[in-house]
Amino acid sequence: MKIFTPALLISGMALSSAASAVQVYHDENGTDLSVFGRIEARYMDKSSRLSHNGGLEGRSRLGISASSKIASGVKAVAFGEWEVASETSQNGKWDTRYAYTGFDFSQYGTLVFGQGDSARYILAGYTDVFEDVGFHAQSYSMLGGRQEGQVMYVAAVGGYTLAASMQTPVSGMGQYFDHDKMVWQDLDVKFGYAAALTYNWTDGLLDGLAFGVSYDWYDLEHSESGDRHDFGIGISYGHLGDGFYTAVQYSKEKFKQEAHHSTGWEGVGGYTFESGFGFMLGIGYQGYHLDRAENSYISGQLSYDFCPALRLYGEGELGLGRLDYPVKNTSQHSKYEIGLMYVF
């Protein structure tokens, strides 16, 4: 689950775990260092795409954020986060989720370089509300979601948030199924960019309402499907983790050399009570040439916060009908997990 705050950086600092970061160093010259993370035990069924064997597994994340004053209104910033799963499930390998550094120009925005989410996540994140299910009825994650080799910029003025990112050459960023030729392709990116604009109402009758649009384009080297571009639009209302929250987003993806396009939409809605109990429901559909299903599902989560640091949750996903791709009439499987998470 990610809680997005427009005034923060494009990606990592918007993570819910960073909301409880502990400052471990501060000096009079304006240098700050904070540490955050989480430790989790979760039971996963065998059909889960995130589990090798099912059963009870451990998972941990550790992150750091740092800033140092350069001049009046200018700071050097750095952010990193790493994740490791149990040795029995993923061989105890540390994976880099975020790693970037750059400049915070205060009201003039933040410019960073490295691995993070593209600018499109500011919109796509409206429906990224579950721990591990949902959030795949659109094309955002096709190139891996958090992408390396990026230049990322975000600025918030009033209720507006503008984000832009540029992708430098990277090989093997993702895979794509060519619907016309019925083959999988490895995607090498030669160049790409993304941009998003959102507006958040913060007072009056519309307090909590947000609306956004996004566009991205990628030059896919050696891809028989040609260059890819994607348009997205979304709306949300409420504050995730505090009372009522709901969101809907729609995206349309097109490859230059293909005759047709993919469209997808995803909606979520739920409520978090003051007692610590919360629930969230979601539904998603993605289709190629409108009527050929690639993803079709409903998802849900129940959670209880014993305290701000400790959460118990259960979530699952149920496929709706059969899919046409990558193999026609593909049967879908349900999946679920139960987790206990400590955040610091």
Side-chain angles (χ1 to χ4, degrees), residues 19-268:
S20 57
V22 177
Q23 187 180 72
V24 296
Y25 180 80
H26 172 78
D27 66 24
E28 58 184 11
N29 296 319
T31 296
D32 295 292
L33 176 65
S34 297
V35 176
F36 64 91
R38 73 186 197 185
I39 300 173
E40 179 182 6
R42 55 182 180 164
Y43 179 86
M44 309 177 70
D45 72 308
K46 291 183 179 180
S47 64
S48 172
R49 58 191 169 89
L50 300 172
S51 174
H52 291 273
N53 303 307
L56 188 63
E57 301 179 352
R59 178 172 64 171
S60 302
R61 290 181 185 174
L62 180 64
I64 58 171
S65 61
S67 65
S68 297
K69 183 178 179 180
I70 298 176
S72 178
V74 181
K75 291 182 178 180
V77 295
F79 188 93
E81 186 184 56
W82 300 267
E83 179 175 284
V84 61
S86 301
E87 290 188 10
T88 55
S89 58
Q90 295 184 22
N91 298 318
K93 177 183 176 182
W94 284 91
D95 294 316
T96 300
R97 288 170 52 83
Y98 298 95
Y100 54 77
T101 185
F103 306 92
D104 181 353
F105 298 104
S106 187
Q107 70 267 30
Y108 299 104
T110 302
L111 178 66
V112 295
F113 309 84
Q115 178 171 318
D117 288 301
S118 75
R120 190 179 168 224
Y121 184 76
I122 288 183
L123 174 64
Y126 283 4
T127 56
D128 187 10
V129 299
F130 299 103
E131 293 297 334
D132 292 311
V133 301
F135 196 55
H136 48 269
Q138 36 72 34
S139 60
Y140 174 75
S141 301
M142 187 190 71
L143 295 176
R146 295 175 297 273
Q147 298 166 200
E148 61 179 305
Q150 288 197 100
V151 180
M152 299 165 281
Y153 174 80
V154 63
V157 180
Y160 291 95
T161 301
L162 171 66
S165 58
M166 184 185 73
Q167 178 66 57
T168 60
V170 176
S171 299
M173 283 191 64
Q175 279 194 324
Y176 173 70
F177 187 77
D178 187 322
H179 303 82
D180 292 340
K181 298 181 179 179
M182 302 295 288
V183 295
W184 284 98
Q185 295 186 32
D186 291 325
L187 298 180
D188 300 330
V189 175
K190 185 176 181 180
F191 179 77
Y193 65 84
L197 178 66
T198 67
Y199 185 80
N200 298 263
W201 284 265
T202 57
D203 54 23
L205 295 176
L206 297 180
D207 180 27
L209 181 67
F211 174 80
V213 293
S214 68
Y215 178 81
D216 60 31
W217 172 86
Y218 290 91
D219 181 351
L220 301 174
E221 193 172 23
H222 308 132
S223 171
E224 296 182 2
S225 296
D227 300 348
R228 165 196 177 272
H229 62 88
D230 182 279
F231 170 78
I233 186 171
I235 188 170
S236 70
Y237 180 76
H239 302 282
L240 186 60
D242 182 14
F244 177 73
Y245 180 80
T246 186
V248 177
Q249 68 162 304
Y250 168 86
S251 63
K252 181 177 179 179
E253 177 191 48
K254 183 72 171 67
F255 284 81
K256 183 178 180 180
Q257 302 299 333
E258 291 195 19
H260 308 298
H261 57 261
S262 294
T263 58
W265 64 270
E266 189 168 45
V268 298

